[in-house]
Amino acid sequence: MENIDWKNLPFGYYPTDYNLRSTWKDGKWSDLEVSSSEFISVHMAATGLHYGQEAFEGLKAYRGKDGKVRLFRWEDNAIRMRNSAQGVMMAEVPDELFFSAINQAVRLNAKFIPPYGTGSSLYIRPLLFGSGAQVGVKPAKEYMFVVFVSPVGPYFKEGFSPVDVELVRDYDRAAPLGTGHIKVGGNYAASLRPADRAHNDGYSAVLFLDAREKKFIDEAGPANFFGIKNGIYVTPSSRTILPSITNKSLEVIAEDLGLKVERRPVPVEELDTFEEAGACGTAAIISPFRKIVDRQTKKEYNYAEKAGPYSTKLYQTLTAIQFGEMEDTHGWTTVLEGI
Ligand code: PLP
Ligand code: COI
């Protein structure tokens, strides 16, 4: 067990002992290689560097109340990475290879899994990119798949305390028929400038609108949006938002809690009517919103200073399943035995 201040871990890169790598060449993936280097050697003409042939994933391993280590819905991350690969014409990582890499990455770095009760977890970052050289705009003929892990705390330093976010109209993270629905690096590059501005203005994150009409809520930079009112959990449906595995899980938990669930376009004006609102994702978990400020119109949408009752219940239930405190009736977790 490492000597780390587990309770106060930020969400960030923390070096661990090993990472896993495989390369795709001539139509097949190589055996996984265990590496103790934090560096990779990449061709200067790699398409991942030039033409954005790159995708990543994010999932976590949790040390449970019973001492067991659990993954949460890893199959969905594997599927999403295959969808991302298809979207930008990269070789797909087979689910078995995906699992084998994350399983080994967690086991080999077991001493970095935060202890139960600290609220922290081991973030797993699978990465796929075009490593083959091209100068014309074409897909590479070689790909690299890497998995590393880092112990992390919550994405927003406030943890489960409400945050302020900035709604922007002068930037989009993805084009209407672009790549917003897959997890490729370009979407995040597009979000950096407005996110930096928001941070400088004192906000935790940016809330983007639909790129075509600027009428509907899309999502936050690193997480999906949800609102709750009149016993209904509302979350946007849009081609340009990332299908969040956390959100998909919260929809089920919301129904279990007796809420109705609506996935539909959410007009900006509706923000006024929500009793609770927040962001959700693997890194963010649930981050309730205290207020949303429209940067252009200056209109403010205010929510409670403390997390609302439904957000709290959703957060407690989700994390109780992840940390093995509650029975996993939906079959979402995979126990990694013997760690
Ligand atoms: N939206 C964006 C843009 C993200 O980067 C993420 C994180 O992966 C999410 C939403 C949340 O998705 P998930 O719950 O699958 O982590
Ligand atoms: C995640 O929630 O896993 C993310 O990838 C969000 C962010 C760090 C990009």
Side-chain angles (χ1 to χ4, degrees):
M1 180 67 68
E2 285 293 283
N3 186 15
I4 296 175
D5 183 6
W6 303 105
K7 280 199 167 125
N8 295 307
L9 271 175
F11 185 89
Y13 180 75
Y14 191 104
T16 53
D17 288 345
Y18 301 103
N19 56 82
L20 276 296
R21 298 149 184 228
S22 173
T23 46
W24 186 91
K25 206 175 158 178
D26 300 327
K28 51 179 193 296
W29 286 100
S30 68
D31 288 343
L32 278 168
E33 176 206 336
V34 178
S35 172
S36 53
S37 170
E38 292 174 90
F39 297 90
I40 45 186
S41 178
V42 185
H43 195 287
M44 62 186 173
T47 61
L49 299 177
H50 294 254
Y51 302 131
Q53 271 204 305
E54 188 276 345
F56 68 100
E57 272 302 326
L59 67 162
K60 285 174 171 171
Y62 307 82
R63 174 75 70 186
K65 192 174 185 185
D66 52 5
K68 293 184 175 164
V69 174
R70 288 174 176 78
L71 299 173
F72 187 74
R73 304 190 79 168
W74 70 266
E75 301 91 339
D76 292 78
N77 294 94
I79 293 169
R80 194 167 63 190
M81 184 163 246
R82 283 196 277 109
N83 290 338
S84 298
Q86 280 172 20
V88 293
M89 296 199 71
M90 298 192 286
E92 290 177 39
V93 176
D95 294 359
E96 312 79 67
L97 178 62
F98 187 90
F99 179 74
S100 181
I102 59 177
N103 182 29
Q104 288 190 56
V106 173
R107 284 176 193 279
L108 291 169
N109 295 295
K111 67 181 188 201
F112 295 98
I113 305 172
Y116 171 73
T118 58
S120 296
S121 52
L122 190 71
Y123 187 69
I124 307 169
R125 172 53 69 86
L127 168 71
L128 172 67
F129 64 93
S131 50
Q134 295 284 12
V135 177
V137 182
K138 295 193 279 270
K141 294 197 174 80
E142 287 176 33
Y143 293 87
M144 190 162 185
F145 173 54
V146 181
V147 174
F148 67 84
V149 297
S150 271
V152 296
Y155 192 76
F156 297 113
K157 65 177 185 329
E158 291 81 355
F160 186 58
S161 299
V163 297
D164 298 342
V165 296
E166 187 172 59
L167 187 151
V168 299
R169 295 168 184 278
D170 55 345
Y171 285 95
D172 296 313
R173 66 181 283 284
L177 300 174
T179 54
H181 62 297
I182 52 177
K183 203 162 167 64
V184 296
N187 300 337
Y188 298 84
S191 76
L192 289 175
R193 195 164 268 288
D196 182 62
R197 187 180 65 181
H199 288 143
N200 292 336
D201 290 348
Y203 298 96
S204 296
V206 166
L207 193 56
F208 291 98
L209 299 182
D210 76 284
R212 197 189 297 275
E213 294 187 279
K214 297 282 181 295
K215 279 191 184 156
F216 303 100
I217 306 298
D218 248 6
E219 65 174 325
N224 274 186
F225 171 87
F226 69 89
I228 298 170
K229 63 176 181 188
N230 310 326
I232 311 173
Y233 178 95
V234 185
T235 193
S237 78
S238 157
R239 192 194 179 278
T240 49
I241 65 178
L242 190 76
S244 155
I245 297 157
T246 312
N247 197 2
K248 195 164 90 168
S249 311
L250 291 178
E251 289 173 42
V252 175
I253 296 171
E255 282 184 341
D256 291 348
L257 295 174
L259 288 162
K260 265 183 63 186
V261 172
E262 292 180 4
R263 184 179 272 274
R264 55 165 171 78
V266 178
V268 182
E269 310 80 66
E270 194 173 354
L271 289 178
D272 256 339
T273 68
F274 290 121
E275 294 147 17
E276 301 176 35
C280 63
T282 298
I285 318 176
I286 290 184
S287 286
F289 291 163
R290 186 171 64 178
K291 68 176 175 198
I292 302 170
V293 180
D294 187 322
R295 191 169 203 280
Q296 190 177 311
T297 67
K298 309 284 182 238
K299 182 162 170 55
E300 290 195 9
Y301 304 90
N302 288 290
Y303 306 99
E305 291 286 324
K306 277 174 57 189
Y310 279 119
S311 302
T312 304
K313 199 79 196 132
L314 288 166
Y315 177 88
Q316 286 170 345
T317 309
L318 176 71
T319 54
I321 295 170
Q322 293 168 333
F323 286 106
E325 297 159 357
M326 188 186 260
E327 197 194 340
D328 171 19
T329 55
H330 301 290
W332 287 336
T333 57
T334 303
V335 172
L336 300 182
E337 299 288 354
I339 316 182

